[in-house]
Amino acid sequence: MNKKTKFIVLGSVLILTFIMVLLVVIYNKPHTNVANSKADITLTAQTILNDFENDENNANAKYLEQIVEISGTISTLSINDNKGIIALKNEGSLGTVMCHLTPEETIKFKNLYTGKPVIIKGICTGYLMDVILVKCIIK
Amino acid sequence: MKSIYITICLFLCVTFTYGQEKFLTKQGEVSFFSSTPIEDIKAENHQVLSIIDTKDGSLAIAILMKSFMFEKSLMQEHFNENYVESDTYPKAIFKGKIKDFNSLNLNTNEVVITGDITIHGVTKSIETKAKLIKTADSLLLNGTFTIQIADFDISIPSVVANNIAENLNIDFKLNHNPYNK
């Protein structure tokens, strides 16, 4: 084998390995870590509910898949399948902001009670009678 | 004056019974599963809204596409951006009926559900069997059905065609409770 072929073979192996590693990294791209990410939008439960109630399409464009940080008052607390759900109430609307917590965050439930003001960060997935947030953490 | 009281009473009665007739869940579970020799893909949604009207057994289900959680974030991204286009079609909707709802007894029932399902802006009629466990204060609806991806105008690029099954199995578990306003 002359020097040139050696160089080409070595080069292609390196490039292939690089591409493979890159593909594996892309394939295994981690989910957004809500706790370590900065909120895209910070607002009150009242505001987000009003936005969805007034114009759902517009609100979808604004909030879907965004990390939102919401301040509000707890109206109900429930646990379903080890995952806590906090509903934030709003005077004058039928719906609430339903925050679905991660199982790890659910441990904090013992410090919560109805009527307590809280700040919750999560990812908004849409509106079904209530505004839905997933992967929530309590700040 | 008397007639006003009667009207109010009647109104209250109507709204009272009205409240008792609807059973609802906001934490229904729907998941789908695609299995190919190359990889298995599973996504779960725990925020499904489902309402049963016990007057006639009509059933309405609304699902947020962005609430489907995948194991790999890349799969979730492809699902939302390329396949179901959830920015344009954020919800999947089912509207239908549980057959012979009024003749069901308390306990486990095999039921047939018929209706129209809308995914990705395309509506298809479906009929599926399900299990309905009825107690005094809950209606648990459980079952599985299959859909063909191609039926809903969703195109899978040929590069990944071998990774995604043509038919998806969809599981649902909807535990309804009486709806009090």
Side-chain angles (χ1 to χ4, degrees), chain A residues 56-57 60 64 125, chain B residues 63-68 79-93 118-123 152-154:
Chain A
E56 196 180 334
N57 288 335
N60 276 339
L64 290 197
T125 62
Chain B
I63 300 173
L64 293 173
M65 298 317 264
K66 287 193 196 286
S67 269
F68 278 105
F79 171 79
N80 281 305
E81 287 172 13
N82 306 341
Y83 305 149
V84 297
E85 298 174 90
S86 56
D87 281 328
T88 321
Y89 310 104
K91 287 175 192 169
I93 305 278
T118 308
I119 304 171
H120 193 231
V122 181
T123 304
F152 295 94
D153 205 11
I154 295 168

Side-chain angles (χ1 to χ4, degrees), chain B residues 114-130:
Chain B
T114 55
D116 295 325
I117 188 166
T118 308
I119 304 171
H120 193 231
V122 181
T123 304
K124 287 268 176 256
S125 298
I126 59 163
E127 179 173 314
T128 181
K129 279 188 188 138

Side-chain angles (χ1 to χ4, degrees), chain A residues 16-62:
Chain A
L16 274 176
T17 321
F18 179 72
I19 292 174
M20 296 261 285
V21 169
L22 198 69
L23 283 179
V24 170
V25 168
I26 292 175
Y27 182 73
N28 289 310
K29 196 178 89 169
H31 281 281
T32 315
N33 183 326
V34 175
N36 297 340
S37 310
K38 215 174 150 268
D40 297 309
I41 304 168
T42 305
L43 74 177
T44 61
Q46 184 96 38
T47 315
I48 196 167
L49 266 163
N50 288 346
D51 281 0
F52 271 102
E53 277 164 8
N54 293 337
D55 187 344
E56 196 180 334
N57 288 335
N58 232 334
N60 276 339
K62 191 169 164 191

Side-chain angles (χ1 to χ4, degrees), chain A residues 56 127-129 132, chain B residues 25-30 45-51 59-65 67-68 90-95 116-118 174 176:
Chain A
E56 196 180 334
Y127 180 66
L128 294 174
M129 292 174 78
I132 314 255
Chain B
T25 177
K26 291 174 174 178
Q27 278 96 45
E29 292 168 27
V30 170
N45 186 330
H46 293 269
Q47 286 92 36
V48 175
L49 172 69
S50 173
I51 304 167
L59 173 68
I61 301 171
I63 300 173
L64 293 173
M65 298 317 264
S67 269
F68 278 105
K91 287 175 192 169
I93 305 278
F94 174 84
K95 277 195 186 123
D116 295 325
I117 188 166
T118 308
L174 308 162
H176 307 77

Side-chain angles (χ1 to χ4, degrees), chain B:
Chain B
M1 200 57 195
K2 209 173 176 183
S3 63
I4 294 174
Y5 283 124
I6 292 168
T7 321
I8 291 171
C9 276
L10 276 175
F11 181 72
L12 284 176
C13 287
V14 168
T15 44
F16 180 72
T17 44
Y18 185 77
Q20 293 297 302
E21 276 168 358
K22 293 235 170 38
F23 276 62
L24 166 147
T25 177
K26 291 174 174 178
Q27 278 96 45
E29 292 168 27
V30 170
S31 61
F32 65 80
F33 189 67
S34 145
S35 174
T36 63
I38 296 173
E39 65 183 342
D40 290 338
I41 300 170
K42 190 177 171 33
E44 289 181 0
N45 186 330
H46 293 269
Q47 286 92 36
V48 175
L49 172 69
S50 173
I51 304 167
I52 297 177
D53 190 333
T54 54
K55 210 166 51 197
D56 57 356
S58 58
L59 173 68
I61 301 171
I63 300 173
L64 293 173
M65 298 317 264
K66 287 193 196 286
S67 269
F68 278 105
M69 296 295 142
F70 291 69
E71 188 203 332
K72 298 247 180 277
S73 73
L74 191 71
M75 290 173 180
Q76 197 166 323
E77 213 175 288
H78 287 170
F79 171 79
N80 281 305
E81 287 172 13
N82 306 341
Y83 305 149
V84 297
E85 298 174 90
S86 56
D87 281 328
T88 321
Y89 310 104
K91 287 175 192 169
I93 305 278
F94 174 84
K95 277 195 186 123
K97 237 178 160 159
I98 301 166
K99 273 191 181 166
D100 306 320
F101 184 83
N102 290 322
S103 58
L104 299 180
N105 38 27
L106 288 176
N107 220 323
T108 308
N109 299 272
E110 293 288 334
V111 292
V112 174
I113 301 171
T114 55
D116 295 325
I117 188 166
T118 308
I119 304 171
H120 193 231
V122 181
T123 304
K124 287 268 176 256
S125 298
I126 59 163
E127 179 173 314
T128 181
K129 279 188 188 138
K131 205 159 81 179
L132 187 123
I133 301 168
K134 187 177 172 184
T135 67
D137 56 359
S138 79
L139 290 169
L140 173 60
L141 201 58
N142 236 326
T144 303
F145 63 101
T146 306
I147 61 160
Q148 266 194 316
I149 296 180
D151 279 351
F152 295 94
D153 205 11
I154 295 168
S155 50
I156 307 290
S158 52
V159 193
V160 290
N162 290 329
N163 299 45
I164 301 170
E166 285 173 17
N167 297 309
L168 292 183
N169 284 334
I170 302 183
D171 288 334
F172 56 92
K173 188 176 153 199
L174 308 162
N175 194 7
H176 307 77
N177 293 114
Y179 180 45
N180 310 306
K181 278 188 192 125

Side-chain angles (χ1 to χ4, degrees), chain A residues 93-108:
Chain A
S93 42
L94 274 174
T96 61
V97 179
M98 289 273 236
C99 310
H100 292 253
L101 271 61
T102 57
E104 301 83 60
E105 282 292 304
T106 307
I107 299 164
K108 295 186 187 165

